[in-house]
Amino acid sequence: LPGTARPGRHPNPAQALTRPIDKDRRRLHSPGRCLVDASLLGIVLSAVWHATMLEPPVRGACNGCGTPGILAVMSFTRDLPSVSVVIPAWDVAAYLPRCLDALLNQDHSPIEIIVIDDGSSDATPAILADYAARHPEIVARRQENAGPGPARNAGAALATGDYLIFVDADDYVEPDYLARLVTAAAASGAEVTVCGFSFDLGRVRLPYPMLGLPRTLPGPRASRLTVETLPLPPFAWTKLYRREWFISQGFAFPPIFYEDIGSTASILYRAETVAIVRRSLYHYCLRDSGITGDFGVRNVQDYVAAAARQRDFLVGESLWPAWRGAFRWFTLVARVQVGFQILFLDTHIRRRDRLRLFGLFSRELVALGGVRPEAPSNPGALVQVENFPFRERRKDLRAARTR
């Protein structure tokens, strides 16, 4: 029966790894999440709001498991919508088994799990081969290292399910993650369904506050909240899409870090309805000893590029006059959160360059919020060269503004 543990599955995926999480963030496959890394105030507030954010109980339960009665009906229904789960994976051998076990233990079925190995150099390919041999739900593909955006796009192109969702390989999900999202999507007819998530710092779990969002939102309203960032974060891994709608719109993640920041607002804007599941179903895992990973100048450049993509979406949809205030709030939040990483945390940015880099980053974001729509900037051209000395990068930035 769906939901029944199969041989080889871990009975409790949350305990599959008991040692503290120590992420290797050299090429973290959801780099937009640096937005929340420095949000200590948000973490504290989330604990206060969580009591009011839980989904209200529904009559009935699934064989005593505590899930709502509608899930019990779904567990014994054979013609349920199928879900394709896409996982970009790059050097995540230490975390991938926990992620896959959590998905294999989902209350909902049928599912297909598509893992795109983005040129891993550790044991990730061997782990994928082992899981794919034992579980027909898992489809593993390998590509040359191209980054998280192209890996997501490759997985979405292989998907065949009624719904499409993205999960990061170093995180894990609750057993009812897919069931609750599919239930909300089916009940509302939404093209996009968003769930809550939590920060996991070792054994401490802090849910992110969804701040009283209604159960459904018009797509443009959800898009604006995503531009503002804090009310409805843009992360790719909290969103379930109707796959045919997603493909028909021609959506694709850009080949940069922070690919979800640069694309999510435009995706939500085209939806007629966005459903909200406020319960925290996704575990975003932070290591105990640090929260920066391999953050460097490339991250700063790509963040500016993602912000420019978001601004150009507003200009292209003639939303700039009405939404400019929301975008400027986004740039303020970014300067605080990313600026904290640049200035104070242990990163690969040389200490003598940090203040100047922060000043450059701030000026670029301020410029994006103040330029006229008919004269958009083009910082995407600044992210082509990696491991570029900071002084030479700064020279390129200045040259780009004069062209």
Side-chain angles (χ1 to χ4, degrees):
L1 292 177
T4 303
R6 301 179 185 176
R9 294 188 182 183
H10 195 284
N12 185 357
Q15 298 177 359
L17 291 180
T18 58
R19 63 179 183 274
I21 302 302
D22 186 12
K23 284 179 175 277
D24 179 354
R25 296 201 176 196
R26 291 170 296 170
R27 288 294 309 280
L28 187 61
H29 272 281
S30 186
R33 51 172 85 179
C34 84
L35 270 174
V36 296
D37 280 347
S39 300
L40 299 181
L41 179 59
I43 295 175
V44 173
L45 289 176
S46 68
V48 178
W49 277 93
H50 183 52
T52 60
M53 292 299 104
L54 293 178
E55 295 292 298
V58 182
R59 288 183 301 173
C62 175
N63 293 337
C65 66
T67 53
I70 191 169
L71 299 184
V73 176
M74 294 179 65
S75 296
F76 295 95
T77 303
R78 294 186 180 273
D79 56 347
L80 292 174
S82 57
V83 181
S84 297
V85 183
V86 174
I87 306 175
W90 184 83
D91 284 359
V92 287
Y95 318 106
L96 185 58
R98 179 185 59 184
C99 177
L100 294 177
D101 288 340
L103 290 168
L104 289 168
N105 278 285
Q106 287 295 293
D107 294 336
H108 180 85
S109 67
I111 67 172
E112 65 174 354
I113 303 169
I114 303 170
V115 187
I116 304 298
D117 175 14
D118 192 31
S120 296
S121 59
D122 65 354
T124 295
I127 293 173
L128 286 177
D130 175 63
Y131 269 82
R134 292 187 289 116
H135 301 286
E137 304 97 318
I138 296 178
V139 177
R141 295 289 185 270
R142 183 176 173 84
Q143 67 179 25
E144 293 297 319
N145 183 262
R152 295 190 200 280
N153 297 336
L158 295 173
T160 62
D162 298 302
Y163 291 97
L164 173 67
I165 198 166
F166 302 95
V167 171
D168 279 0
D170 44 4
D171 297 330
Y172 69 98
V173 298
E174 288 292 312
D176 55 348
Y177 172 65
L178 295 179
R180 287 188 178 275
L181 284 169
V182 170
T183 298
S188 63
E191 292 86 359
V192 186
T193 305
V194 184
C195 73
F197 64 97
S198 66
F199 302 95
D200 284 24
L201 302 92
R203 297 181 179 273
V204 178
R205 183 179 305 169
L206 297 173
Y208 186 86
M210 300 296 279
L211 299 178
L213 292 173
R215 292 185 180 278
T216 59
L217 288 168
R221 173 60 178 161
S223 176
R224 176 164 182 143
L225 292 176
T226 297
V227 171
E228 295 174 3
T229 301
L230 293 180
L232 192 61
F235 308 124
W237 29 262
T238 60
K239 296 167 182 65
L240 177 81
Y241 302 98
R242 273 192 0 223
R243 186 185 64 84
E244 289 187 359
W245 173 82
F246 185 91
I247 299 299
S248 69
Q249 297 295 321
F251 295 132
F253 293 100
I256 57 174
F257 292 163
Y258 314 104
E259 76 285 354
D260 38 14
I261 294 176
S263 56
T264 298
S266 63
I267 294 174
L268 297 182
Y269 184 75
R270 299 187 199 178
E272 182 177 342
T273 304
V274 175
I276 305 294
V277 177
R278 292 174 292 182
R279 185 182 292 271
S280 295
L281 301 174
Y282 189 98
H283 295 269
Y284 161 49
C285 299
L286 295 166
R287 54 180 171 149
D288 293 335
S289 58
I291 54 176
T292 59
D294 204 24
F295 185 91
V297 176
R298 166 72 187 274
N299 298 74
V300 178
Q301 286 190 309
D302 277 17
Y303 199 103
V304 174
R309 288 181 62 92
Q310 188 173 114
R311 195 285 310 272
D312 291 345
F313 148 68
L314 299 181
V315 173
E317 296 291 342
S318 301
L319 298 170
W320 182 250
W323 290 23
R324 179 181 171 185
F327 181 83
R328 295 183 72 178
W329 172 254
F330 153 71
T331 62
L332 175 61
V333 172
R335 294 203 303 275
V336 172
Q337 295 178 332
V338 180
F340 184 83
Q341 288 187 292
I342 295 172
L343 293 173
F344 302 113
L345 298 182
D346 185 17
T347 69
H348 288 279
I349 301 170
R350 295 180 299 184
R351 292 193 178 276
R352 64 177 179 271
D353 290 335
R354 292 187 177 196
L355 188 58
R356 290 185 297 155
L357 180 59
F358 172 68
L360 178 59
F361 174 71
S362 297
R363 287 195 298 272
E364 289 293 312
L365 290 185
V366 170
L368 285 174
V371 297
R372 295 176 299 170
E374 58 268 28
S377 62
N378 185 27
L382 307 175
V383 301
Q384 303 304 318
V385 182
E386 294 188 48
N387 302 320
F388 209 57
F390 170 64
R391 286 183 181 141
E392 293 183 6
R393 284 181 187 270
R394 193 162 180 241
K395 182 179 179 181
D396 267 10
L397 286 167
R398 286 175 172 171
R401 286 199 295 269
T402 61
R403 286 197 292 266

